[in-house]
C-alpha cells in the first residue's frame, strides 16, 4: 500500500514539479524592545541537504531515495552537530524533494552546542550532511568510475558539518527577527 507521500512523489515525477513537506505553525506575537534578548536564541538555515551529484565517497543519492522515509523523518526531524547523536542542535522545519535538485531543507538551530552559532555566522560551518541507512542501490559507470546510486534510504538525521560528503550541500543563514530589529534601530 502506497503512502500519501509516495503518491504525491509519483505525481511530482510525472509532472516534473517539486513537492514540499513542511510543518506549519501559526501564532501572533507582540514584540517590545525589552523582549529582544542580547543573544540569539536560534538561527534558521536553509539549503540543500542532498543533491544528485557524485559525492566524495563516489555515491549519488537519487532525489527519490527519500520518498519512503521523509515522512517518518519529519516525525522526529533531528538536526545534529557533525553527525554526533549526543549533540542534537535543532530541528528540520521544512523539507522539499526536488525531482532534479535533491532535498532542500529549512532548519532551526536552537542549541548553541560547541559555539555552533558563531561558527555558522562566521562561515566556519556552512554545510549539511545526511545520516542514513541504505535500503536499495544500483551500480552505474560514470566517467570510467563505478558509482553507487542510492535509490532508497532511511533518513535518520541531518547534520550541520564543516566538511560534507557532498560539497554542493551548502546552506545560508536567514536573518533573525532580532537582527532585523537591531539593524532598524541602528539606522535611526
Amino acid at each position: 500500500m502506497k503512502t500519501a507521500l509516495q503518491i504525491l512523489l509519483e505525481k511530482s515525477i510525472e509532472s516534473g514539479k517539486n513537492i514540499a513537506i513542511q510543518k506549519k505553525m501559526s501564532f501572533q506575537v507582540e514584540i517590545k524592545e525589552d523582549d529582544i534578548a542580547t543573544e540569539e536564541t536560534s538561527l534558521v538555515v536553509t539549503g540543500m541537504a542532498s543533491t544528485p551529484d557524485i559525492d566524495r565517497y563516489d555515491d549519488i543519492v537519487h532525489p527519490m531515495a527519500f520518498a519512503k522515509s521523509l515522512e517518518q523523518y519529519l516525525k522526529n526531524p533531528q538536526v545534529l552537530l557533525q553527525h554526533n547523536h549526543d549533540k542534537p542542535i535543532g530541528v528540520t522545519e521544512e523539507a522539499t524533494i526536488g525531482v532534479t535538485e535533491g532535498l532542500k531543507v529549512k532548519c532551526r538551530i536552537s542549541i548553541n552546542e560547541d559555539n555552533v552559532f558563531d561558527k555558522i555566522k562566521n562561515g566556519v560551518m556552512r554545510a549539511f550532511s545526511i545520516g542514513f541507512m541504505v535500503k536499495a542501490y544500483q551500480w552505474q559507470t560514470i566517467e570510467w568510475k563505478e558509482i553507487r546510486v542510492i535509490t532508497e534510504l532511511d533518513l535518520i538525521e541531518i547534520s550541520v558539518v564543516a566538511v560534507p560528503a557532498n560539497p554542493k550541500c551548502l546552506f545560508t543563514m536567514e536573518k533573525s527577527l532580532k537582527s532585523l530589529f537591531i539593524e532598524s534601530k541602528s539606522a535611526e
Side-chain angles (χ1 to χ4, degrees):
M1 176 177 257
K2 293 182 182 178
T3 66
L5 176 61
Q6 289 170 314
I7 294 168
L8 279 172
L9 289 172
E10 286 174 359
K11 288 182 180 181
S12 174
I13 291 170
E14 291 169 7
S15 68
K17 296 180 181 175
N18 295 340
I19 64 164
I21 300 172
Q22 51 188 289
K23 296 191 295 184
K24 294 190 177 196
M25 295 181 265
S26 299
F27 52 92
Q28 292 184 341
V29 178
E30 180 181 335
I31 300 174
K32 299 176 185 171
E33 187 171 354
D34 295 340
D35 294 336
I36 306 294
T38 57
E39 293 186 28
E40 295 283 348
T41 56
S42 69
L43 299 174
V44 176
V45 293
T46 303
M48 299 307 295
S50 178
T51 67
D53 297 290
I54 300 171
D55 68 17
R56 291 181 169 108
Y57 299 104
D58 289 336
D59 285 337
I60 293 175
V61 177
H62 190 282
M64 300 318 298
F66 298 96
K68 292 182 180 177
S69 68
L70 187 58
E71 187 173 21
Q72 182 64 36
Y73 166 75
L74 289 172
K75 292 178 182 177
N76 185 34
Q78 293 299 300
V79 176
L80 305 179
L81 180 60
Q82 301 275 50
H83 296 292
N84 186 334
H85 290 250
D86 293 329
K87 294 185 178 185
I89 58 170
V91 295
T92 300
E93 294 182 333
E94 297 177 17
T96 305
I97 299 172
V99 178
T100 57
E101 298 87 6
L103 180 64
K104 184 174 183 177
V105 295
K106 176 179 176 181
C107 301
R108 180 168 303 280
I109 311 303
S110 57
I111 298 173
N112 194 15
E113 183 75 38
D114 294 344
N115 294 315
V116 71
F117 286 6
D118 288 337
K119 291 174 183 173
I120 290 172
K121 288 178 190 176
N122 294 321
V124 174
M125 297 185 91
R126 56 190 183 129
F128 283 128
S129 184
I130 55 174
F132 60 93
M133 293 176 32
V134 176
K135 297 286 190 173
Y137 65 91
Q138 56 191 1
W139 291 101
Q140 189 173 354
T141 303
I142 300 174
E143 297 175 8
W144 305 284
K145 273 184 165 177
E146 284 296 307
I147 304 296
R148 182 174 68 159
V149 179
I150 299 167
T151 56
E152 184 181 344
L153 56 76
D154 182 10
L155 180 61
I156 298 169
E157 52 88 7
I158 295 173
S159 282
V160 171
V161 297
V163 181
N166 182 335
K168 294 191 177 181
C169 291
L170 303 176
F171 60 73
T172 57
M173 186 175 72
E174 294 183 9
K175 290 211 177 239
S176 69
L177 184 60
K178 178 191 164 208
S179 66
L180 292 173
F181 182 79
I182 290 171
E183 285 174 13
S184 70
K185 291 293 284 180
S186 63
E188 292 176 354

